[in-house]
Amino acid sequence: MRSDSIKVGLERAPHRGILKCLGVTDSDLNKPFIAVVNSFNEMVPGHMNLDKLAEFVKAGVRSAGGVPFEFNTIAICDGLVMGHEGMHYSLPSRELIADSVEVMIKAHRFDGMVLITNCDKITPGMLMAAARLNIPSIVVTAGPMVSGVYKGRRVDVTAIFEAVGEVAAERLSLKDLKMIEDNAFPGCGSCNGMYTANTMACIVESLGMSLPRCATTIAASSRKLRIAKESGERIVKLVNEDIKPLDIMTYEAFENAIMVFMALGGSTNAVLHLKAIAREANIDLPLSLFDKLSRKVPHICDLRPSGPYDLEELDIAGGVPAVMKELSQLIHLDTLTVTGKTLGENIKDAVVFDRNIIRPLDNPVHKEGGIAILTGNLAPKGAVVKVTAISPKMLVHSGPARVYNSEEEAMKAILNREIEKGDVVVIRYEGPKGGPGMREMLSPTAAIAGMGLSDSVALITDGRFSGATRGPCIGHVSPEAAEGGPIAALQDGDIIVLDIPKRRLDVQLSDEELKERLAKWRPKPPKIRKGYLKRYSMLVQSADMGGTFRDI
């Protein structure tokens, strides 16, 4: 066992003494040491129940003959940091999480680990660590919250952010806003729709890194506690069987994850995260693969924010195993999973209980998957858009650019009602390097939707859009403005052409005009030039590389 390096031999007597200070017995020294990596904190609703889940994980580890040791890593709530300086730190926290797990595991020589996680950057950060460390690992995602209800309709993170725009447009009263505020988040768990947290949870399960039904099981449920305990039991067996993450997270498993992602209509952020996780596994996932599989796999689950159904309903309909059973003729069924069985074995008895929620392949919500990759003279290295969240009338659009050099500038213009139907709002210098940190732009997109403009106004950014975003919102434009990408050359009034069926994003400028403008361009310094974000901006690569750190 790896842990023998801190507990076996004459020279390890001091180490054994330190371990005994923790309550480790002589008999424990013969057992696998299991890290219980917990992102619990008291600031994030998706993580507020993880302390309890950890107790069940540890009980499972002990019952299976292992010795659990819990430690924590950080977690940021994207909803709380939205629309202000705090959002600069969200994506960069992913690298900190991966690094902190690596440091603890490498330093203390654990034999295996259980990763307890739930939200947007924490889950991919932990998976990056699992791939990097390649010791037996299993993930417990803590599950979604139930939907809030107000005046007979579901309310959630999308509803409340869009309500701000509705108030600004005088379409909603402050009293109604207050009531939505009071009802949007009824309890613990990740936000209730196919936002980034739940997209990543479903990806974890489809990769084979969590137990079946883990992704969609509601946070405040007894089944989640049982899954936690079973995961604790299973990690000890994974150590004994010597099944490691890179045995599970193969190229074929990543293709499975992408196909499930497309079928669910998940968050565009998953493109960044899948590329980052795959990079740690030494697997290349070009942006073209996402588009290829999107054209192959239909969108079969119409989930919030663009559809009517929430995660609790997806779970009742059969969860991820039922979705994969529906996709069984497309996905790789022989990939290994943390159960020790193949994916095909895991899903052979899965049943779709509600065909309104999990549609058959021959009657999908959309013929193609949820994500499209666009290229063109405005995005030579690619851009990402969530097709399933767009009105058909906006799949092809051209209009004048309204150019802003920050989210704050754009938000001020939107709330001042300076944006008109047909406009294309461009928010630049918000990429990984230029932001720094590639902020999510839920506030401006929700304000546009709340003001009734999502069927007539497009938004384009080198930053990101939240999984809660609806409408024609194109993000991850690469190269970003801070690296001298074409988006840096745009001026107010330039005609931007969006053609999603043709996968194009262009500005109606000649090559000569673009080159002339970019020749005059001068870099802008990152908005934050101290602390972690200064170091981050020096190391981070563009969105088409997953926003990962470059090799030094």
Side-chain angles (χ1 to χ4, degrees):
M1 292 186 289
R2 284 166 46 92
S3 60
D4 286 352
S5 59
I6 62 168
K7 63 187 183 183
V8 174
L10 175 65
E11 68 279 15
R12 297 304 180 226
H15 303 70
R16 291 192 293 272
I18 293 170
L19 290 168
K20 288 177 180 179
C21 180
L22 300 173
V24 173
T25 66
D26 284 331
S27 62
D28 288 338
L29 293 172
N30 298 316
K31 301 173 184 177
F33 280 13
I34 304 299
V36 178
V37 186
N38 193 353
S39 54
F40 164 77
N41 64 53
E42 295 181 340
M43 195 66 186
V44 184
H47 296 242
M48 60 192 280
N49 64 323
L50 300 196
D51 55 341
K52 188 171 185 179
L53 281 185
E55 293 305 317
F56 280 80
V57 167
K58 289 185 285 187
V61 170
R62 293 186 186 103
S63 69
V67 184
F69 298 85
E70 182 181 354
F71 67 84
N72 288 77
T73 187
I74 62 171
I76 285 176
C77 175
D78 276 23
L80 281 174
V81 303
M82 197 73 67
H84 58 82
E85 183 181 354
M87 181 49 84
H88 287 286
Y89 292 87
S90 175
L91 181 61
S93 73
R94 186 187 70 184
E95 287 14 76
L96 277 177
I97 290 162
D99 289 350
S100 67
V101 175
E102 174 194 356
V103 167
M104 285 292 290
I105 297 296
K106 285 284 192 180
H108 294 113
R109 315 305 299 162
F110 289 101
D111 299 302
M113 59 181 178
V114 182
L115 301 161
I116 309 178
T117 174
N118 210 28
C119 290
D120 297 29
K121 311 309 170 300
I122 301 89
T123 300
M126 288 192 177
L127 273 182
M128 289 166 67
R132 184 186 302 173
L133 294 163
N134 200 33
I135 67 169
S137 305
I138 191 169
V139 180
V140 179
T141 50
M145 68 174 66
V146 297
S147 295
V149 178
Y150 175 59
K151 290 187 176 181
R153 69 182 179 101
R154 288 185 182 87
V155 288
D156 55 12
V157 63
T158 300
I160 193 166
F161 272 93
E162 291 184 359
V164 174
E166 293 178 58
V167 171
E170 299 179 353
R171 301 171 62 198
L172 188 75
S173 71
L174 287 172
K175 181 180 178 181
D176 280 330
L177 176 63
K178 173 66 163 58
M179 293 302 293
I180 293 172
E181 174 186 322
D182 291 343
N183 289 279
F185 304 98
C188 66
S190 52
C191 295
N192 67 336
M194 194 49 67
Y195 308 122
T196 306
N198 291 323
T199 299
M200 291 310 304
C202 293
I203 281 172
V204 171
E205 187 175 329
S206 56
L207 274 172
M209 287 297 294
S210 64
L211 293 181
R213 300 299 293 273
C214 184
T216 59
T217 296
I218 294 299
S221 68
S222 58
R223 193 208 301 163
K224 181 60 70 177
L225 300 178
R226 296 195 298 273
I227 288 172
K229 187 173 183 180
E230 289 166 356
S231 296
E233 294 169 346
R234 184 62 198 148
I235 187 59
V236 178
K237 295 177 182 177
L238 286 168
V239 170
N240 293 334
E241 296 163 5
D242 197 31
I243 296 175
K244 301 184 180 74
L246 297 188
D247 299 323
I248 295 169
M249 291 193 286
T250 61
Y251 178 83
E252 291 75 18
F254 277 100
E255 283 204 337
N256 286 345
I258 295 171
M259 286 189 274
V260 170
F261 166 39
M262 296 303 170
L264 293 172
S267 165
T268 53
N269 286 314
V271 177
L272 285 172
H273 299 324
L274 276 164
K275 286 182 69 69
I277 298 160
R279 185 171 186 261
E280 295 287 354
N282 296 313
I283 293 171
D284 182 36
L285 294 183
L287 283 178
S288 58
L289 177 64
F290 290 84
D291 203 67
K292 173 185 173 183
L293 294 178
S294 182
R295 292 181 182 274
K296 175 181 176 181
V297 179
H299 174 218
I300 60 173
C301 299
D302 202 10
L303 302 166
R304 298 182 71 83
S306 54
Y309 301 111
D310 63 15
L311 261 289
E312 183 177 18
E313 289 168 305
L314 176 61
D315 186 62
I316 292 168
V320 173
V323 173
M324 291 192 289
K325 184 69 172 288
E326 188 60 36
L327 298 176
S328 58
Q329 66 191 66
L330 301 174
I331 61 178
H332 307 282
L333 298 175
D334 58 350
T335 56
L336 184 63
T337 73
V338 290
T339 65
K341 301 176 182 178
T342 66
L343 177 63
E345 291 173 317
N346 283 351
I347 68 172
K348 66 181 178 66
D349 295 324
V351 176
V352 177
F353 293 104
D354 191 330
R355 280 297 183 186
N356 292 313
I357 298 170
I358 303 175
R359 303 268 285 269
L361 292 181
D362 59 3
N363 184 30
V365 183
H366 297 97
K367 290 190 296 183
E368 295 184 352
I371 298 295
I373 306 299
L374 312 181
T375 55
N377 70 350
L378 191 49
K381 291 187 177 180
V384 181
V385 63
K386 188 174 181 178
V387 184
T388 53
I390 301 176
S391 165
K393 67 178 72 172
M394 288 296 288
L395 292 174
V396 177
H397 176 76
S398 65
R402 297 289 177 260
V403 183
Y404 305 95
N405 289 335
S406 70
E407 178 185 4
E408 288 82 2
E409 289 181 20
M411 191 64 181
K412 181 179 178 181
I414 292 166
L415 293 181
N416 285 343
R417 307 183 77 170
E418 297 172 16
I419 305 303
E420 300 177 358
K421 291 183 177 181
D423 285 348
V424 179
V425 176
V426 177
I427 308 174
R428 64 189 179 189
Y429 295 102
E430 292 288 5
K433 184 182 183 70
M438 202 179 183
R439 287 193 288 179
E440 282 187 349
M441 309 282 174
L442 179 56
S443 293
T445 61
I448 287 284
M451 298 171 85
L453 296 173
S454 60
D455 286 350
S456 59
V457 171
L459 292 94
I460 295 173
T461 185
D462 53 7
R464 300 180 294 128
F465 289 119
S466 165
T469 293
R470 296 190 294 138
C473 302
I474 298 92
H476 309 195
V477 171
S478 300
E480 63 175 291
E483 294 185 329
I487 192 172
L490 292 180
Q491 299 175 2
D492 282 344
D494 288 341
I495 301 301
I496 294 176
V497 180
L498 168 66
D499 192 329
I500 291 175
K502 293 183 179 179
R503 302 300 200 258
R504 297 291 302 182
L505 179 62
D506 295 285
V507 57
Q508 288 185 348
L509 295 174
S510 66
D511 292 343
E512 292 74 17
E513 174 69 13
L514 265 178
K515 288 179 181 178
E516 183 177 329
R517 290 190 190 182
L518 289 172
K520 298 176 182 177
W521 172 82
R522 295 295 179 268
K524 291 181 181 291
K527 300 180 183 75
I528 299 174
R529 287 176 280 172
K530 62 181 179 180
Y532 174 57
L533 288 185
K534 179 180 180 180
R535 300 193 298 276
Y536 180 86
S537 66
M538 294 169 66
L539 291 171
V540 72
Q541 302 181 103
S542 65
D544 64 294
M545 299 295 290
T548 53
F549 285 165
R550 58 183 172 82
D551 295 326
I552 300 174

